[in-house]
Amino acid sequence: MTAQLSKKGEAWSARFSEPVSDLVKRYTASVFFDKRLAQFDIQGSLAHAEMLATRGIISQQDFADIQRGMQQIAGEIDAGQFEWLLDLEDVHLNIEKRLTELVGDAGKRLHTGRSRNDQVATDIRLYMRAAIDDIAALLRELRLALLDLAEQHSDTILPGFTHMQVAQPVTFGHHMLAYVEMFGRDAERMADCRKRVNRLPLGAAALAGTTFPIDREQVAKLLGFEEVCRNSLDAVSDRDFAIEFCAAAALVMTHVSRMSEELVIWMSPRVGFIDIADRFCTGSSIMPQKKNPDVPELARGKTGRVNGHLIALLTLMKGQPLAYNKDNQEDKEPLFDTVDTLTDTLRIFADMARGITVKPEAMRAAALQGYATATDLADYLVKKGLPFRDAHEAVAHAVRACDGKQCDLSDLSLVELKAFSPLIEQDVFAVLTLEGSVAARDHIGGTAPNQVREAIRRARAQLA
Ligand code: ARG
């Protein structure tokens, strides 16, 4: 008996003597989530059909019928008129069944030399390639927004922290550029991942290849794949590219989350370094005075969810023997949710970065507390000939004295300062200012305002 789509649509029904229960049907079906692959499924099928026709495996008339049918199906899906049936299990069988209804035998010939195993792997890769391109564009938008903010504040000074303790003054532009670096690496990782996504599994068929004289290179070319997967067993079972993508996505979210944490701290009234535009914040249902930074908080929270998807996919794959196993159907929901979460988050952040108001006075006031220029004083003494460790010691005494007097290093008189080292002269006061401190770190990667401006110029050129 030949396998064919039964009235109810199961592609293998002739083999079975009883139908599956409704529960099993629901349990094994994927149509309600994999229907989002529909446009890629159609694209893949059209390329496959064109190749079959070129190689004389199906007729040109069959190909023309398949094209006509697929065009109608694409229209029905776009218009929300396509009837997705649970009985037909997944996106592939739903579309194939409808195609056969529309064009008859040509529809039944489409699956020649193909399996759902290589078909679904192809669909996911096409979907992911498009998703990566969107994400790359959003990462660029976000970096451009951060570069604008950095440029407006290349001279604005705030305390830099280590261990959440005031460390040294830095410019706000420099601080923003740190995130530009992170999101730049993210873009590189996405571009790298795209190379391994952009390979064609079709032709692997169920697992071993096919007896038909197919031309995989032609299909790859039609679909814009740079490479053909080189081993049929690997082609149908590999999901490394999805794991790589989720790992890259988890890192993007980690960067977003770190930035979110800072935005939340900076917006706390106790700190007051920034304000975030009202459209990204919400109030409290009970406390009328509140303006909460919900967007960064939620982004920080959603990072956990993306990390979870990465672990889900790693765990999904770790025990699978070659080749395709139904387990693989579980790759989709984590992947789709990762794409949705990341895409939404980046879109909101690119927008929100333009809704950040910096409060330079509050930053400056904070930088004046906590002896942020202590290292500058030590460096000053080194330049006057004192070994660094001795300079460190002398400044530690000065800081301790300031602590007792509740004043800053720059508030001490020259006479008072000289008590800690006779090498200290009048020129020390230029070193103890915040401006002098940041301007002195004048090398590639340093916080000096002119270095910040140069780094912005370089980053903009890269993004052009
Ligand atoms: N819905 C399936 C999936 O997502 C398609 C492949 C099914 N292949 C099979 N041999 N049952 O993985």
Side-chain angles (χ1 to χ4, degrees), residues 30 34 89-90 92 116-117 120 324 326 328-329 332:
S30 54
D34 68 14
E89 194 181 319
D90 58 23
H92 322 293
R116 277 186 299 156
N117 299 349
V120 70
Y324 177 88
K326 186 77 167 180
N328 279 346
Q329 183 165 290
K332 289 172 202 61

Side-chain angles (χ1 to χ4, degrees), residues 12 28-31 33-34 37 89-93 115-121 124 206 236 239 324-332:
W12 50 85
T28 54
S30 54
V31 63
F33 53 84
D34 68 14
L37 296 173
E89 194 181 319
D90 58 23
V91 61
H92 322 293
L93 294 176
S115 152
R116 277 186 299 156
N117 299 349
D118 56 347
Q119 184 179 359
V120 70
I124 301 170
V236 289
R239 295 293 183 271
Y324 177 88
N325 302 282
K326 186 77 167 180
D327 312 39
N328 279 346
Q329 183 165 290
E330 284 291 304
D331 63 355
K332 289 172 202 61

